Structures are given as structure tokens and as C-alpha cells.
């Protein structure tokens, strides 16, 4: 199905049902296989002028809800399809505490200077046109009713998930072949490396190695930002690995 036609099919459902009905029933169910379910999320919008692509695993349920709320309000205002999808993506993508952590990490390595802006926080406000915020899996994926975390099952080893990458993610990458890509999470690293192997991306475009900006990753984030010394880290945090990843990111940015 054409992706914009897919939105048109779901727009009336979004407009005529409550958020509770949309997220607690199968009204937006696209497909299912065993314990996996895929629910429609209005994230088709692509910033064709984007210089940066930030790639998460997939929309979590809270991001999904935020996007549906924004889409519903925009539909009720009679906005164009393009504006509806843009508002939905802006409201839902990387919303909540994850956004603050992400912009801190990106500013720390100086990415804002390469983009010609004051802070990467502006990518979520007045400079939204410079960034494509997306996920390797565009739709909301649930495993046994809970958010898919990117590892069980692995995206590239599960046919149900892999077809989402080929149907949604690769066509988007083809429209942004010269942008920088920042994967958030090991599973997304593997997806971008897979696309590099297929010839869709080059290694210098992929700025991998950032700690995932979720609140659960607070210690690694603080160490990356220089806010927590090595000697106070828990055994679960590998400082050498973080240092190596940071050095790799800085070197790639230096050579842009």
C-alpha cells in the first residue's frame, strides 16, 4: 500500500474515535505475527532538506499516543495532510525526557556547529526542517502488548520486523542519501550497518556510538558528558567502550 494512501485510510478512524479507543483496541492494527503486533503511527512525513537523520528503534506507546493526539487535533482543524503528518511527527518523535538527553549529547560533541545553529534543541523548534526524526521501524511495534525494545527478537533476524525496514525505512533513506545518520541503540546500529552493506549509506555518514538517551541510561550519559568520573561508575558501565565511541564520533565530525 502507498504510504500516504495508508494515512488516508486511517485518518477517518483517527478523527472519529477517542485516543483510548485507538490505543486500546485493534482499530489501528496493521499486521500481527505470533507475539508481535504492528500498529499504524502517523510518521510518514519526510524533511527532504534534512541534513541529519536521528534513528530510534520504533515509536513507543507514549510517543505513539502523542502523535495520535497531534494528528487528531490537526485533522479536526482541517489542516492539509502534509501539515497533519508534520505535526504528528514533531509531537511524537523522541518526546519526553529522551529529547533533553539527546540534545545534550549532540551539543556536547559540537554537532550544532556543523549544522550552523546555536543548539540542537532548535532541531525540535525553529529548525525542524534540518532534521528527519524517525525509527528503523516506523510503526508502533508491541511484543506481548509491551514496547519492542530492539533486541528480542532482533530486527534483522525476524522476517516480520525486517520487512518493515525494507518497506518503510529504506525508501526514506533513499530520499536522504547525503544526510548524517545517528542511530540510537545497538539494534539500530546494526540496521544502519546493514544498509551500508547494501550500498544505501557510507560509513562516514553514520555517527554511531552515542549512549542511548533514555532515562534508564543515565550513568552512561553522564560519563559521556564528563559529568561523572570513571572511579564512581558502576560495574555495569564500560568507560573504555564509551571513550572509544566518543573518540570515533569526534573524529568523524572533524573530517566532515
Amino acid at each position: 500500500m502507498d504510504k500516504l494512501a495508508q494515512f488516508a485510510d486511517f485518518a477517518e478512524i483517527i478523527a472519529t474515535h477517542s485516543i483510548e479507543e485507538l490505543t486500546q483496541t485493534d482499530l489501528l492494527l496493521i499486521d500481527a505475527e505470533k507475539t508481535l503486533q504492528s500498529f499504524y503511527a502517523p510518521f510518514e512525513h519526510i524533511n527532504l532538506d534534512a541534513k541529519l537523520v536521528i534513528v530510534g528503534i520504533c515509536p513507543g506507546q507514549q510517543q505513539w499516543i502523542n502523535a495520535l493526539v497531534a494528528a487528531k487535533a490537526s485533522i479536526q482543524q482541517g489542516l492539509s495532510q502534509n501539515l497533519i503528518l508534520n505535526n504528528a511527527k514533531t509531537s511524537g518523535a523522541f518526546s519526553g525526557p529522551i529529547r533533553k538527553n539527546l540534545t545534550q549529547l549532540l551539543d556536547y560533541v559540537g554537532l550544532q556547529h556543523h549544522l550552523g545553529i546555536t543548539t540542537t534543541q532548535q532541531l525540535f523548534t525553529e529548525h525542524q526542517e534540518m532534521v528527519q526524526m524517525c525509527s528503523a521501524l516506523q510503526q508502533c511495534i508491541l511484543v506481548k502488548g509491551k514496547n519492542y525494545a530492539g533486541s528480542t527478537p532482533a530486527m534483522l533476524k525476524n522476517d516480520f520486523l525486517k520487512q518493515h525496514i525494507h518497506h518503510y525505512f529504506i525508501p526514506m533513506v533513499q530520499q536522504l542519501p547525503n544526510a548524517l545518520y545517528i542511530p540510537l541503540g545497538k539494534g539500530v546500529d546494526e540496521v544502519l550497518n546493514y544498509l551500508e552493506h547494501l550500498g544505501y549509506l557510507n560509513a562516514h555518514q553514520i555517527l554511531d556510538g552515542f549512549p542511548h538517551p533514555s532515562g534508564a541510561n543515565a550513568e552512561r550519559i553522564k560519563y559521556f558528558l564528563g559529568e561523572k568520573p570513571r572511579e564512581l561508575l558502576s560495574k555495569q558501565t564500560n568507560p573504555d567502550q564509551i571513550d572509544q565511541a566518543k573518540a570515533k564520533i569526534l573524529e568523524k565530525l572533524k573530517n566532515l
Side-chain angles (χ1 to χ4, degrees):
M1 180 187 293
D2 176 82
K3 288 181 276 296
L4 293 183
Q6 187 176 49
F7 167 75
D9 285 348
F10 283 112
E12 184 175 354
I13 296 174
I14 293 171
T16 56
H17 291 83
S18 70
I19 297 301
E20 289 74 18
E21 289 173 327
L22 294 173
T23 56
Q24 295 177 17
T25 69
D26 290 344
L27 285 169
L28 298 181
L29 182 68
I30 294 175
D31 201 1
E33 180 185 273
K34 296 181 180 179
T35 61
L36 291 167
Q37 292 176 301
S38 170
F39 292 88
Y40 172 74
F43 287 145
E44 293 94 332
H45 182 77
I46 299 175
N47 286 328
L48 295 176
D49 295 324
K51 298 180 180 179
L52 180 70
V53 181
I54 302 173
V55 189
I57 297 167
C58 71
Q61 291 181 78
Q62 187 58 57
Q63 293 169 320
W64 182 41
I65 291 170
N66 292 346
L68 291 173
V69 168
K72 186 177 180 68
S74 297
I75 292 170
Q76 291 172 340
Q77 292 171 39
L79 300 182
S80 68
Q81 179 171 291
N82 188 56
L83 282 175
I84 293 168
L85 291 172
N86 181 55
N87 291 344
K89 174 161 271 189
T90 302
S91 298
F94 306 114
S95 49
I98 194 172
R99 186 176 293 185
K100 178 183 177 182
N101 291 335
L102 176 60
T103 55
Q104 282 186 310
L105 290 166
L106 300 184
D107 280 353
Y108 180 80
V109 299
L111 185 59
Q112 70 276 25
H113 304 310
H114 292 275
L115 297 174
I117 57 180
T118 305
T119 169
T120 54
Q121 293 176 19
Q122 294 173 316
L123 296 174
F124 296 91
T125 54
E126 63 261 45
H127 288 299
Q128 294 175 26
E129 80 285 350
M130 299 182 71
V131 64
Q132 171 70 6
M133 294 174 283
C134 63
S135 300
L137 303 172
Q138 181 176 292
Q139 312 303 347
C140 180
I141 306 293
L142 301 184
V143 183
K144 297 181 180 179
K146 297 183 178 180
N147 289 336
Y148 172 65
S151 57
T152 307
M155 283 183 274
L156 296 177
K157 294 182 179 179
N158 179 275
D159 290 340
F160 180 84
L161 298 178
K162 193 172 181 179
Q163 63 90 15
H164 275 263
I165 293 168
H166 280 267
H167 184 68
Y168 297 103
F169 188 57
I170 289 179
M172 186 217 71
V173 170
Q174 289 177 298
Q175 295 185 68
L176 297 169
N178 300 312
L180 290 174
Y181 284 75
I182 296 180
L184 302 181
K186 182 180 177 183
V188 185
D189 290 354
E190 293 172 353
V191 170
L192 292 188
N193 290 333
Y194 172 65
L195 267 60
E196 179 192 347
H197 175 73
L198 294 178
Y200 293 109
L201 294 172
N202 295 313
H204 70 270
Q205 291 178 265
I206 304 172
L207 299 180
D208 55 331
F210 284 100
H212 193 283
S214 74
N217 217 18
E219 184 173 75
R220 292 177 179 85
I221 293 170
K222 286 184 177 181
Y223 182 72
F224 189 98
L225 296 173
E227 296 177 355
K228 188 167 187 176
R230 174 184 286 252
E231 60 270 19
L232 295 181
L233 296 175
S234 66
K235 293 181 180 180
Q236 287 71 36
T237 296
N238 185 333
D240 291 333
Q241 187 179 64
I242 296 173
D243 289 342
Q244 291 167 12
K246 185 194 298 187
K248 183 180 175 183
I249 291 168
L250 293 172
E251 185 65 21
K252 285 188 177 183
L253 288 172
K254 179 182 175 182
N255 292 328
L256 286 180

